Every structure is written in structure tokens, then in C-alpha cells.
Amino acid sequence: QVQLVESGGGLVQAGESLRLSCTGSGFIARRNTLRWYRQAPGKQRALVASITSSGSTDYSDSVKGRFNISRDNAKNTVYLQMNSLKLHDTAVYYCNLPNPSTGYWGQGTQVTVSS
């Protein structure tokens, strides 16, 4: 019943901005930690940002200062605002709801940054 649906990906030029959305169902986002991961070609899936039930946020070093994670409780949605995009930000971005095992994952949304 738990579902995560990402949206907002696309093709942008370096230096531009993009906002990703992850809308959840089957759980209450404000009561859970939610995370954004990304997977670039030939690389492992990596944690990008997280937000806890209390609103605390954390970011990977590669995106710190450029990305912002936030939550809209009324919409049960978590966002990833991506600014000053760089070529190496190109990846499939996934929303994740952690659990003691593998957690729940969305299908991902492609972000491609061009020069």
C-alpha cells in the first residue's frame, strides 16, 4: 500500500534550477524520515538529502549549499529544490522511505544537466 511517486525531472542547463517532488501514500510523511537518493550511470545509488519527522535536514557534501529538502504535510509530499545544477548532478533521483530492511522506493525521475 505504501507508494512513492517522484516527478519534476527533466533536461536543464548547468547553472539552472529544478524542483523534484515525491508524493507518498499509505503513510504520513510528517511522521517519518524521508530521503532523496540518486544514481548516476556507472555509480552506486547515493544519499543526497534527508528530512526527519521533526524537520531536521541533512545533505551530502556534493550538494550542500545548492540543494534544499522540504516537506508539505498537507500534500504528503517531500521536495528537493536543486539550484546551481552541475553536470555531475545528472542521475535518476529516487525518493526513499526507510524501514528496518530495504525501505520503500519510488520509480525515480531522470535529471539531466547539459552544458
Side-chain angles (χ1 to χ4, degrees):
Q1 188 172 349
V2 171
Q3 288 188 320
L4 300 167
V5 180
E6 301 96 336
S7 62
L11 175 64
V12 297
Q13 291 186 325
E16 295 183 342
S17 298
L18 202 61
R19 189 178 75 161
L20 306 182
S21 299
C22 172
T23 299
S25 61
F27 69 98
I28 300 175
R30 69 178 177 87
R31 297 180 182 177
N32 291 271
T33 291
L34 287 165
R35 294 168 175 161
W36 283 100
Y37 284 76
R38 68 186 182 187
Q39 187 165 23
K43 296 184 178 180
Q44 293 287 102
R45 191 170 298 186
L47 178 64
V48 175
S50 64
I51 183 167
T52 70
S53 60
S54 65
S56 297
T57 60
D58 200 7
Y59 303 90
S60 67
D61 290 340
S62 63
V63 307
K64 194 170 297 181
R66 298 189 296 120
F67 289 13
N68 182 62
I69 187 170
S70 63
R71 188 178 62 227
D72 186 328
N73 296 331
K75 297 180 179 179
N76 213 47
T77 296
V78 64
Y79 302 99
L80 185 67
Q81 177 66 45
M82 306 185 295
N83 301 313
S84 301
L85 283 163
K86 302 176 180 180
L87 292 178
H88 69 249
D89 293 321
T90 294
V92 178
Y93 284 72
Y94 298 91
C95 186
N96 168 250
L97 173 65
N99 70 7
S101 56
T102 59
Y104 298 94
W105 298 86
Q107 293 298 310
T109 185
Q110 175 71 47
V111 174
T112 302
V113 183
S114 64
S115 60

